[in-house]
């Protein structure tokens, strides 16, 4: 009903059909630990079919097929990449964090955007990684450690206060 208030029936149907299509699996190269080309070569050697997201990202790879679970490769476990939707790259690209800056991330867990910010900052400066949900902090801490992020301070606070 709400969709029909916002869109014509044809547009609402098009929106619903597009929403039912699975999103592609994408990963973001952790430039604190490797380069996209080296990561792609390593994954291809493990029978992963992929392409770079090269039109607007220097770090993203789209995964088509994988003979191994993409979240259990040695490269993943070593922090060379983060499984992350390509749309999640955009806030960090828009922010354009620089080395030495101070950045506050108010909704950090599980750490995809936060580790991307740290990589863009060259692991320098101060990155305050906050999450309101205390139960999400362990996954945030684990992901940041795996990714080699050293410039982050983890915090549990209500950003509305």
């Amino acid at each position: 009903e709400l969709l029909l208030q916002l869109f014509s029936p044809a547009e609402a149907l098009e929106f619903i059909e597009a929403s039912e299509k699975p999103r592609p699996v994408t990963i973001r190269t952790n430039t604190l630990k490797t380069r996209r080309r080296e990561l792609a070569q390593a994954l291809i050697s493990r029978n992963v079919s992929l392409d770079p997201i090269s039109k607007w990202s220097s770090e993203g790879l789209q995964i088509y097929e994988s003979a191994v679970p993409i979240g259990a490769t040695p490269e993943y476990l070593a922090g060379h990449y983060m499984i992350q939707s390509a749309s999640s790259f955009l806030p960090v690209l828009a922010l354009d964090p620089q080395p030495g800056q101070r950045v506050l991330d108010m909704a950090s867990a599980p750490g995809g955007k936060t580790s991307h910010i740290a990589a863009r900052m060259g692991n320098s400066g101060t990155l305050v990684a906050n999450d309101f949900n205390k139960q999400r902090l362990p996954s945030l801490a684990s992901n940041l450690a795996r990714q080699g992020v050293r410039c982050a301070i983890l915090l549990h606070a209500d950003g509305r206060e």
Side-chain angles (χ1 to χ4, degrees):
E1 194 172 309
L2 176 63
L3 285 178
L4 293 175
Q5 292 174 4
L6 298 171
F7 304 109
S8 72
E11 290 172 325
L13 181 61
E14 186 178 347
F15 175 81
I16 291 168
E17 288 173 351
S19 297
E20 291 176 350
K21 292 181 184 174
R23 289 183 300 166
V25 174
T26 55
I27 62 175
R28 180 188 47 80
T29 306
N30 178 12
T31 57
L32 294 174
K33 293 195 169 190
T34 191
R35 297 180 190 278
R36 180 170 68 176
R37 178 175 299 176
E38 294 164 0
L39 174 60
Q41 290 170 345
L43 293 175
I44 288 168
S45 75
R46 296 187 190 287
N47 295 320
V48 176
S49 173
L50 56 82
D51 276 323
I53 302 171
S54 57
K55 291 182 181 175
W56 55 271
S57 170
S58 61
E59 300 151 335
L61 293 168
Q62 182 170 342
I63 308 299
Y64 299 106
E65 291 182 15
S66 178
V68 295
I70 206 68
T73 67
E75 292 79 15
Y76 176 82
L77 297 173
H80 291 196
Y81 64 90
M82 186 79 172
I83 301 170
Q84 188 174 358
S85 70
S87 62
S88 293
F89 302 0
L90 297 175
V92 178
L93 296 177
L95 179 63
D96 192 26
Q98 299 297 311
Q101 286 184 330
R102 291 178 298 190
V103 176
L104 171 61
D105 183 351
M106 288 303 295
S108 296
K113 287 185 285 293
T114 307
S115 60
H116 193 185
I117 291 168
R120 288 293 179 124
M121 292 171 62
N123 229 356
S124 68
T126 303
L127 173 54
V128 177
N130 179 68
D131 205 274
F132 175 71
N133 186 336
K134 192 173 187 176
Q135 285 73 35
R136 296 183 68 171
L137 291 178
S139 67
L140 173 62
S142 175
N143 280 322
L144 295 182
R146 184 175 55 79
Q147 298 262 317
V149 173
R150 296 184 318 270
C151 64
I153 300 167
L154 273 59
L155 182 66
H156 168 247
D158 185 342
R160 298 170 294 184
E161 296 175 1

